[in-house]
Amino acid sequence: MTALDQAFRAAGAAAWGGVAYDRLTPEMTREDQEKVRAQCPQPRTVLVAAFPYYAGDRPGNLSLYARGEDYHRALARRLNTVCDFLSRQYPMESFLPAADNSPLPEREAARLAGLGKVGRHGLLILPPYGSFLFLGTILTGAALALPEREAAPACEDCGRCAAACPVGALGPGGADRERCLSQLTQQKRLTDEEAALVAAHPYVWGCDLCQRACPYNHHAARSPLPEFREDLIDRLTPADLDGLSNRSFQSKYGTRAFAWRGPGPLRRNLELQQE
Ligand code: SF4
Ligand code: SF4
């Protein structure tokens, strides 16, 4: 095991890999490439790591990813320990962590780095954790020695995820984000048609239906990471949000991934589902 393997393992990553930055640019817009260069003028390497979050089959009305601590915070903290290690090894280089908040195509980085498989539901699959994974990246101008692996293969395409999707968002070409309930539950405004879809949905935030249908998730291993298996909020009720201003909502729920839009979409979704 290399010292970098040990650093990622100590940070709680279930797997990690890396890819030369140039291999990602075909998947990136010019604008995203400019944003990357604003952060790192000569990007050479993108490291990518997977962090499991499954905490067991618990009833609730929040997507499983959103029940623990906000993964942006938790992964930044964990990736920073790897960045600190790398900074000691390469004191002249910078190492920039990110989780779902950078212009880098994380899923494509994980695919090219050979982590797990890529599911038709659009997510990385890494047994025994299934697809209940957060991806984090570290961008650097250093040319690091990387594990040599084949790009991740596609899943067996059994079609169960597409059949389970109530809005037909998973076609042969991948997921249609505009139709996806995960997206709709977070939108500030909904058309009448979208509101009807949210009203019939079992979650007030996010959607796990395609993931739950996937055979790789049927006996998923639980996350060893305390942020994602302790102090969970499984369900929100109207009473939880009653009387909260934006500020008091943030003070109560600001460390949660479902809080970034404020209380408005959650209140609306709860109301729609009670009608
Ligand atoms: S998250 Fe829900 S709405 Fe989105 S593709 Fe999966 S099943 Fe369909
Ligand atoms: S349900 Fe089947 S098609 Fe969908 S991601 Fe899982 S293995 Fe692939």
Side-chain angles (χ1 to χ4, degrees):
M1 186 186 288
T2 67
L4 192 48
D5 283 324
Q6 286 174 346
F8 272 108
R9 181 176 285 195
W16 75 278
V19 58
Y21 171 72
D22 287 348
R23 294 181 68 196
L24 296 176
T25 53
E27 292 289 315
M28 300 170 65
T29 62
R30 183 178 295 271
E31 192 185 7
D32 281 344
Q33 292 178 46
E34 282 167 9
K35 284 184 192 163
V36 166
R37 287 187 183 276
Q39 297 173 343
C40 179
Q42 291 189 306
R44 288 203 179 84
T45 307
V46 175
L47 304 178
V48 57
F51 296 85
Y53 66 79
Y54 186 63
D57 194 12
R58 306 158 59 102
N61 65 0
L62 296 169
S63 182
L64 299 178
Y65 83 85
R67 298 187 185 189
E69 184 184 1
D70 185 342
Y71 61 97
H72 300 92
R73 292 163 44 108
L75 263 62
R77 205 166 51 232
R78 289 179 173 278
L79 290 169
N80 266 324
T81 66
V82 181
C83 293
D84 290 346
F85 163 80
L86 286 164
S87 296
R88 289 194 293 276
Q89 304 286 313
Y90 303 90
M92 304 303 288
E93 304 286 355
S94 63
F95 297 92
L96 302 166
D100 200 19
N101 53 3
S102 88
L104 294 168
E106 295 167 335
R107 217 286 314 280
E108 179 64 0
R111 186 186 77 78
L112 290 172
L115 273 64
K117 300 184 178 210
V118 178
R120 179 164 169 185
H121 48 35
L123 302 165
L124 187 81
I125 298 169
L126 178 66
Y129 300 108
S131 59
F132 298 119
L133 302 163
F134 296 125
L135 296 178
T137 56
I138 296 174
L139 170 68
T140 179
L144 301 177
L146 299 172
E148 288 189 16
R149 295 196 203 108
E150 296 285 315
C155 71
E156 290 74 4
D157 206 18
C158 71
R160 290 186 206 175
C161 53
C165 177
V167 294
L170 291 177
D176 177 353
R177 282 180 59 84
E178 301 274 301
R179 286 187 68 76
C180 177
L181 282 155
S182 187
Q183 177 71 23
L184 295 185
T185 56
Q186 302 181 38
Q187 268 175 216
K188 288 208 164 171
R189 290 184 187 78
L190 298 175
T191 64
D192 290 347
E193 187 201 351
E194 290 167 346
L197 294 173
V198 171
H201 186 47
Y203 286 179
V204 293
W205 186 265
C207 175
D208 295 325
L209 298 178
C210 53
Q211 292 201 82
R212 284 184 182 276
C214 177
Y216 284 101
N217 287 334
H218 285 171
H219 301 286
R222 292 178 195 216
S223 173
L225 310 179
E227 300 96 317
F228 307 131
R229 56 181 295 166
E230 295 171 8
D231 188 26
L232 302 184
I233 299 175
D234 294 314
R235 178 178 297 281
L236 284 179
T237 67
D240 293 325
L241 306 181
D242 198 25
L244 293 183
S245 63
N246 282 342
R247 181 177 290 198
S248 53
F249 173 82
Q250 287 303 332
S251 138
K252 188 171 178 186
Y253 295 119
T255 62
R256 306 286 172 163
F258 61 76
W260 73 282
R261 282 284 192 177
L266 293 162
R267 278 200 185 106
R268 177 208 53 213
N269 298 345
L270 282 162
E271 276 168 26
L272 283 171
Q273 291 168 9
Q274 285 184 333
E275 282 170 5

